[in-house]
Amino acid sequence: MNFIRRVLMVLGIAGIAGALLRVRGKSEPSTQRGGWRPLNPTTDSSVDQTSSQN
Amino acid sequence: MIDFSGAIGVIGAGVTGSRVVEHLVATSNNPILLHDQDLYGAQRLAAVHRSRDTTVSVVDFDAVATASVVVLACGSPHAPLAQKLLARGASVVSLSDDVSDVMELLNMHEQTQALNKVLVVGAAASPGLTGLLLRHLETSFDSVDEAHVAFHGTGGPNCAVQHHQALAGQSIGWHDGEWLRRPGGSGRELCWFPEPVGAYDCYRAEMADPILLKRAQPQLQRITARVSARRRDRFTSRLPMMTPPHAEGGMGALRIEVRGFRNGSRIVEIAGVAEQVAQIAGVVAATTALFVQRGQVATPGACVLGQDSLPNSEILRDILAGGVRLHQFVGT
């Protein structure tokens, strides 16, 4: 009985630790600096940058 | 008696199907044959467009199969439906983004070729528009070898369920000559989408994009696809959906990052779109269907948007004329 209880406790703690590791952590940014500008391939006309990120 | 010659069929009168019909009505005069298991929903959608010049008729499956091209805008699987439609003489445009379904559709290439019909696989937002953007960006390079897709948002309820399941599945990526399988929900990357969507953490997911982009551009060495998710999405991805999906998701976005060489230098180009996902998918599918119906997709068989045999720049031009705004990232 004690053995089963310990196994369940270990599994529970491992599950909680796994879940925390899964949802926490730092993001790796794909891009650092810049913004988006409208693009029209047919006329290739571009407008100035409309938004900035960092 | 209504004349259905040159008709375009649409199966699915949900969120995406209604955008397909809306775009077809706005840009063509072809009769539209609409079919859905929800007869009331189909009749309601047809009634919305009743006063316009184009005829939208609610019909059964046998009648929709008489159309020259049928758009599959219903929930997956599309492969069995496509098989029946091709056998009855219709070309097919599928919006499926389910990996196994997409694989089955691609495997129907020889059968489609033998019937001298066209089967366009994954003509939606992601996959679909991503292939066209890859093709468009490729013109700025001497050679391209990497494509990385990120996607945010959902279309209708079926799309939301697919998005939920994708995070729990195995992501497929092409890496230096072999397919790599990684667990969905891993590989966090902060991706910036065009405004007003902005930045979202994106993770690997079971998405069809890498398979279709590899098919479109076989020279690519690395292809990945990620989808945005919140902590709750990742935490509950292996469970059934806790709450029913929204009737329609909010503003969505997609971006594709292409890497390659120009004049001997390594460069990166990023293009993206911010729009409601169902709207993007509807415009892409309807535009593709019109190209197939007009015979502008000449090569029979299963094909994907972005591959050499398709008039990709013309399709992209018409999609942008349909109101989808393309953006290019400028920065580092």
Side-chain angles (χ1 to χ4, degrees), chain B residues 193-197 251-254 272-276 280 324-325 327:
Chain B
F193 294 97
E195 298 298 336
V197 175
M251 185 64 91
L254 68 87
V273 169
E275 182 59 80
Q276 293 207 323
I280 303 173
V324 175
R325 282 177 297 173
H327 293 82

Side-chain angles (χ1 to χ4, degrees), chain B residues 29-67:
Chain B
N29 294 318
N30 301 81
I32 296 165
L33 305 178
L34 181 61
H35 173 71
D36 195 297
Q37 287 179 334
D38 174 13
L39 190 61
Y40 175 68
Q43 283 174 340
R44 196 173 45 189
L45 178 58
V48 169
H49 300 288
R50 189 160 290 155
S51 58
R52 307 282 180 87
D53 296 336
T54 309
T55 316
V56 182
S57 312
V58 179
V59 297
D60 60 11
F61 184 81
D62 291 330
V64 84
T66 62

Side-chain angles (χ1 to χ4, degrees), chain B residues 244-327:
Chain B
H246 295 290
E248 180 167 4
M251 185 64 91
L254 68 87
R255 53 173 269 159
I256 181 165
E257 182 173 333
V258 181
R259 300 175 190 171
F261 292 94
R262 182 171 60 210
N263 299 329
S265 304
R266 185 84 178 149
I267 59 163
V268 179
E269 294 280 359
I270 306 172
V273 169
E275 182 59 80
Q276 293 207 323
V277 174
Q279 178 68 16
I280 303 173
V283 172
V284 171
T287 307
T288 308
L290 285 169
F291 272 76
V292 175
Q293 196 269 336
R294 294 193 293 247
Q296 289 171 281
V297 178
T299 319
C303 57
V304 301
L305 293 177
Q307 80 178 43
D308 291 344
S309 60
L310 265 61
N312 296 298
S313 51
E314 287 83 359
I315 295 174
L316 182 61
R317 185 197 59 211
D318 283 8
I319 288 168
L320 298 180
V324 175
R325 282 177 297 173
L326 180 60
H327 293 82

Side-chain angles (χ1 to χ4, degrees), chain A residues 22-23 27 32-33 35 53, chain B residues 192 201 231 234 328 330 332:
Chain A
R22 184 172 168 84
V23 296
S27 307
Q32 305 289 332
R33 192 177 292 277
Q53 290 181 358
Chain B
W192 292 87
D201 274 330
R231 283 179 178 164
R234 295 170 64 220
Q328 184 179 29
V330 184
T332 55

